[in-house]
Amino acid sequence: MTAGVLRHRQAAWGQGGARALAIVAVLALWELAARANADSFVLAGPVEVARYLWQNAPLLTRALGATLQSAAWGFVWGNLAAILLAVAVVLIPRAERVVAALALIVFCLPLVATGPILRVLFGQGNGPQITLAALAVYYTTFLPLVVGLRAVPQSWLDLIRSHGRGRMTQLIHVRAPASFPYLIAGLQIAAPAAILGAMVGEFTGAERGLGVLTIRAMRALDVDATWAIATLAAGVSILAYGGFGALVRRLRVESPAVLLTPPDHRHRRPPWRRLADIGVIVAIALVLWQATMDLFDLNPFFAKRPGDVVAFLLTGPDAAAHRATLFAAYGETLVFTLPGYLAGLALGAGLACGVVLMPGLATTALPLSVALRSVPIVATAPLIVLALGRGAVGTITIVTVMIFFPTLVACLQGLRQTPGQIIDIFDTYASGRWRLLRLARVPAMLPAFFASARMAVPAAILAVTTAEWLATGNGIGSLMALTASTSDYNMLWSAIVLVALTAALAYGAVAWIEAQVLAVYAMEQTVRR
Amino acid sequence: MAADIGIRGQAVRCEDLSRTFTSPAGSIAAVDATDVTFAAGQTTALVGPSGCGKSTLLRLIAGLEAPTTGTVRIGDETPAQTCQRGALAVAFQDASLLPWRTLRGNIALALTLARRPADPDRVDRLIAKVGLQGFEDRRPAELSGGMRQRAAIARCLVGDPELLLLDEPFGAVDELTRRRLNYELPKLWQANGTTALLVTHSVTEAVLVADRVLVMSPRPGRIVADIDIDLPQPRTRGLESETAFRTLTATVAEALMDIAPPRQFAAQ
């Protein structure tokens, strides 16, 4: 063994040791906090969690098995859909605008509202869980896969064309193999997301699964059970995420540097063209909505059509009252979402910069936050509600936590993108860390930050509606839960439309800001093939 | 000279060929009203300053770019028809080897794309011809820049093309390696009587490799000089010190210097 290899091994051991130490420290802090708050019925420490897990092992194993089964099927279907959509976009570039927009709108449908409708549609069984798991994963695979299928040198494509072969051959011989690392990266993010989707599906009245146990524990105010189930769900999610990470290392797949490209702004389109685009997309979405309902001949009692929503909100007898109810709830939700969203982004980016200023922190902070980002919101939301109560602080915190970890991870990876030679140049002028951070590292981080800010929009809405639905009893999430249980499907569908529209528009707004900023700071990344 | 070894290459005729690129900043005639014929079996070099449209001309001939006006004929076919038959090969500045395929796999790809049966013997023979035996199972990342360009040329030649288009294939390798490749590789296609078109920045490379050198001027992209290189093929080491070679190099260099300099330098 050469000295170099030996050093490498020692470093690996050192890192592993640091990581183990960090885990032990977290457990110890957790236990201490639990002991200190023993009478407040908020926190269960690791010892109580372990005891609960041990005592209820058969029940939990059965529930976990059911959840994982649903998650696995959702994972398969969702990713299959993502691959088909991405291939369609690459083979038929004209269709991209429409396909990408529709994919986004579907992704923005609030899971907590589509869940109850799917429950009525599927009846008993695990149909809703699988569908929601698929809905939770397909978009995060679709986006990087499209980037990967595109990010190939022009000359590779010309090579295929110079042999008189077309797009299909380009796809098979060049694009598909080149996009493999992007697919794997997407699947890794999808693995914990599928578990989240399956659990939300179980909230809607499944017979078994971790989601069912979560609801039961929360209703009974059973602190030990809530914490134990959350720990179990979080642990399994981290394992699923880590398992894919291990697979990546095993296959020696190089992680792509840029997973999400900024929106295309190369073709500056006049405003009326963009408005026309939006109009066309909305029209297609409405036609698809109506057509799906009619094609499967779904019962109009729960499967509302666009016309029903228009009548309910605009033309019907009590339209004004309906609008007032809906928008009052919507207003409450926005008040919680916006501060949480901004706080999550600021904290994530801020901590990433802090970690770079103190390089020693990075070795432990990154793996820890990578692990924590994979913890599903449905696992942590009940705990935060237990700790911070059912008011504004709890809800905002849930949104913040949901946004914080992905942003931190993306920003840390973005900060690493600073070219080494630029750092060398700053070093030759003996610039301090702050100046390097401000002038070189932060601009290099911006593409990753904005990609994360864009993806955080649907995430924030998922978080806030889930929290409102599960716990707080405020806002549009609660309204959706209420109308689902009272079979007020007109209001439920109206809420879905409003939430999906808000999410899609907010996503578009962030993308617009992103394009403006990156046109200055990262021009090379806004060029696409 | 090519006649006695049998010419399998095709002549290429460009008539009134133009390609104009339009952008918000205005339109640029990358190639403008060009009439030129490339004789069958000859290697022609196309030299000119950056952005003079030589790569665009090559891409028009390869059918990778559609002309704004005019036509390209390869023999009596359009470029698309020649591509369809798998009788045309292009080498790019970066070797454009697929990183997930081995050297052997990359070269065999050309046969697959041309819908030909797999022919491992032929692939290995070409690998040997370009001097890469022993590296068959390596991936591109394990090869040097010069080795990758050898591989790219082998991939071009494995299908035995009638027309070979080289877009600065040696532009990214160091000067020593480049000179070595200049002597070794052209023999491989010239011996078959393949028609070849080489786009290059280097005057020495153009004279060293080609039977004829065309000089192009930018904006609009036009051919402004046509110089025959009547040095015997194959070219051998020591040629560069001969007077005939030096005279020809000087002629090409002079033709390049005659091209009007870009406007911002003209005032000085």
Side-chain angles (χ1 to χ4, degrees):
Chain A
M1 199 186 295
T2 65
V5 172
L6 198 65
R7 251 200 317 276
H8 189 75
R9 294 243 169 120
Q10 279 170 347
W13 273 109
Q15 226 175 39
R19 230 171 270 180
L21 209 67
I23 292 172
V24 170
V26 167
L27 285 177
L29 276 176
W30 179 8
E31 182 66 39
L32 276 176
R35 298 258 158 120
N37 293 293
D39 354 302
S40 62
F41 296 104
V42 163
L43 253 173
V47 175
E48 286 147 304
V49 165
R51 190 187 304 134
Y52 185 90
L53 289 176
W54 175 252
Q55 284 169 352
N56 297 281
L59 173 73
L60 290 170
T61 314
R62 253 178 292 137
L64 180 63
T67 303
L68 286 183
Q69 200 192 352
S70 303
W73 279 114
F75 181 83
V76 169
W77 289 117
N79 287 310
L80 212 58
I83 292 169
L84 289 179
L85 282 177
V87 166
V89 161
V90 170
L91 284 183
I92 318 162
R94 271 169 187 282
E96 181 189 356
R97 225 173 264 275
V98 171
V99 171
L102 290 178
L104 173 65
I105 291 174
V106 173
F107 184 63
C108 288
L109 294 178
L111 295 185
V112 294
T114 39
I117 292 173
L118 289 169
R119 177 58 64 195
V120 183
L121 186 64
F122 281 97
Q124 296 195 319
N126 54 3
Q129 293 93 300
I130 293 174
T131 314
L132 288 194
L135 282 175
V137 304
Y138 82 98
Y139 198 67
T140 47
T141 304
F142 168 73
L143 282 190
L145 191 55
V146 169
V147 174
L149 287 169
R150 283 239 184 79
V152 291
Q154 183 63 43
S155 62
W156 296 2
L157 302 174
D158 286 344
L159 172 74
I160 307 289
R161 284 176 62 203
S162 72
H163 286 85
R165 307 293 294 267
R167 292 181 166 278
M168 202 63 202
T169 313
Q170 286 179 345
L171 181 69
I172 293 167
H173 285 292
V174 173
R175 293 189 192 271
S179 69
F180 186 65
Y182 293 81
L183 176 65
I184 295 284
L187 293 183
Q188 188 178 16
I189 296 170
I195 296 174
L196 175 144
M199 282 180 71
V200 175
E202 286 163 357
F203 290 169
T204 62
E207 290 128 38
R208 56 179 77 86
L210 288 181
V212 179
L213 296 184
T214 304
I215 296 249
R216 210 184 289 164
M218 285 192 69
R219 293 227 173 102
L221 292 174
D222 186 341
V223 178
D224 288 357
T226 308
W227 275 88
I229 298 161
T231 310
L232 187 60
V236 171
S237 300
I238 292 175
L239 276 182
Y241 189 87
F244 261 97
L247 184 72
V248 169
R249 282 188 294 277
R250 191 74 184 272
L251 294 173
R252 298 188 173 202
V253 179
E254 191 96 0
S255 294
V258 184
L259 260 190
L260 298 173
T261 49
D264 192 3
H265 75 146
R266 203 176 21 155
H267 310 290
R268 290 204 169 272
R269 296 157 69 83
W272 64 268
R273 274 296 297 272
R274 278 188 224 164
L275 279 179
D277 277 353
I278 293 175
V280 168
I281 287 161
V282 168
I284 293 177
L286 291 178
V287 168
L288 280 178
W289 175 6
Q290 177 86 34
T292 318
M293 301 292 138
D294 291 347
L295 192 68
F296 295 102
D297 197 21
L298 298 179
N299 186 343
F301 172 65
F302 66 87
K304 298 295 178 193
R305 274 70 167 170
D308 298 326
V309 171
V310 170
F312 182 76
L313 286 183
L314 297 175
T315 57
D318 291 324
H322 298 153
R323 277 202 304 273
T325 313
L326 180 62
F327 280 96
Y330 179 68
E332 282 177 6
T333 300
L334 283 191
V335 168
F336 292 146
T337 318
L338 206 60
Y341 175 77
L342 295 177
L345 287 183
L347 285 175
L351 192 66
C353 293
V355 165
V356 167
L357 287 177
M358 288 165 277
L361 210 60
T363 41
T364 40
L366 187 59
L368 196 68
S369 44
V370 164
L372 288 178
R373 87 168 257 181
S374 61
V375 174
I377 190 68
V378 288
T380 42
L383 310 184
I384 295 171
V385 169
L386 270 180
L388 299 175
R390 293 169 185 256
V393 182
T395 314
I396 292 173
T397 309
I398 287 171
V399 178
T400 307
V401 169
M402 180 82 175
I403 311 284
F404 169 74
F405 287 110
T407 306
L408 174 63
V409 173
C411 287
L412 281 174
Q413 281 163 351
L415 286 167
R416 283 191 188 164
Q417 299 301 319
T418 318
Q421 290 184 345
I422 289 188
I423 296 177
D424 288 347
I425 288 174
F426 275 77
D427 282 350
T428 57
Y429 289 101
S431 305
R433 286 175 182 177
W434 277 104
R435 188 186 280 265
L436 178 67
L437 181 72
R438 191 162 55 86
L439 296 178
R441 285 192 187 272
V442 167
M445 180 191 84
L446 286 175
F449 171 77
F450 274 108
S452 166
R454 234 181 322 137
M455 292 308 289
V457 170
I461 288 182
L462 172 69
V464 76
T465 49
T466 309
E468 289 169 345
W469 186 44
L470 278 181
T472 65
N474 294 323
I476 208 157
S478 167
L479 179 71
M480 290 192 284
L482 193 72
T483 50
S485 62
T486 58
S487 302
D488 184 1
Y489 288 108
N490 273 319
M491 183 61 95
L492 185 57
W493 281 88
S494 303
I496 292 178
V497 170
L498 186 60
V499 169
L501 217 60
T502 308
L505 286 179
Y507 185 100
V510 176
W512 185 81
I513 298 172
E514 178 180 16
Q516 306 306 312
V517 174
L518 294 193
V520 177
Y521 283 101
M523 219 162 156
E524 76 289 346
Q525 294 208 10
T526 54
V527 177
R528 279 213 276 178
R529 266 181 280 275
Chain B
M1 142 220 93
D4 44 3
I5 50 170
I7 297 172
R8 72 179 314 281
Q10 298 282 354
V12 179
R13 265 179 306 123
C14 304
E15 280 171 16
D16 185 36
L17 191 63
S18 313
R19 179 70 173 103
T20 309
F21 292 107
T22 24
S23 73
S27 59
I28 295 168
V31 174
D32 188 49
T34 298
D35 285 289
V36 64
T37 302
F38 303 100
Q42 262 200 348
T43 299
T44 307
L46 208 51
V47 295
S50 294
C52 73
K54 47 195 197 302
S55 283
T56 306
L57 180 56
L58 183 127
R59 291 174 65 82
L60 286 165
I61 295 171
L64 293 172
E65 202 85 59
T68 309
T69 68
T71 54
V72 177
R73 305 295 287 183
I74 301 169
D76 47 13
E77 293 175 330
T78 63
Q81 288 167 328
T82 313
C83 287
Q84 283 291 337
R85 284 196 299 118
L88 183 155
V90 189
F92 302 94
Q93 177 165 5
D94 60 332
S96 294
L97 303 174
L98 302 182
W100 52 86
R101 283 178 171 253
T102 61
L103 170 61
R104 199 181 260 139
N106 265 292
I107 292 166
L109 177 67
L111 291 176
T112 312
L113 291 176
R115 298 188 175 87
R116 305 238 198 122
D119 189 346
D121 289 343
R122 187 172 167 76
V123 170
D124 284 358
R125 231 176 11 252
L126 258 151
I127 290 176
K129 266 191 183 170
V130 297
L132 290 178
Q133 59 274 59
F135 295 92
E136 287 86 350
D137 296 317
R138 301 293 184 88
R139 285 176 205 280
E142 299 171 290
L143 304 176
S144 71
M147 291 162 93
R148 275 181 243 160
Q149 290 305 339
R150 287 170 187 271
I153 299 292
R155 182 177 60 193
C156 282
L157 297 179
V158 73
D160 208 6
E162 292 163 19
L163 176 60
L164 178 62
L165 301 168
L166 305 142
D167 192 359
E168 291 192 54
F170 311 123
V173 294
D174 66 90
E175 187 60 27
L176 283 173
T177 312
R178 182 174 194 165
R179 198 48 34 87
R180 197 181 289 277
L181 297 177
N182 283 166
Y183 279 111
E184 287 178 20
L185 295 181
K187 291 183 223 173
L188 299 177
W189 70 76
Q190 286 164 348
N192 290 345
T194 304
T195 310
L197 182 53
L198 168 74
V199 162
T200 178
H201 270 120
S202 157
V203 174
T204 318
E205 179 170 278
V207 177
L208 212 48
V209 171
D211 301 304
R212 177 189 178 200
V213 174
L214 299 178
V215 178
M216 251 182 115
S217 77
R219 284 171 214 187
R222 284 198 183 123
I223 291 165
V224 290
D226 183 348
I227 300 152
D228 259 332
I229 309 297
D230 48 357
L231 301 168
Q233 294 276 18
R235 310 279 156 82
T236 46
R237 293 263 287 276
L239 179 68
E240 283 167 86
S241 54
E242 286 177 21
T243 318
F245 178 87
R246 288 162 169 242
T247 314
L248 285 164
T249 316
T251 313
V252 175
E254 276 305 309
L256 274 169
M257 297 301 280
D258 285 343
I259 294 171
R263 207 169 298 146
Q264 60 263 42
F265 299 120
Q268 295 175 358

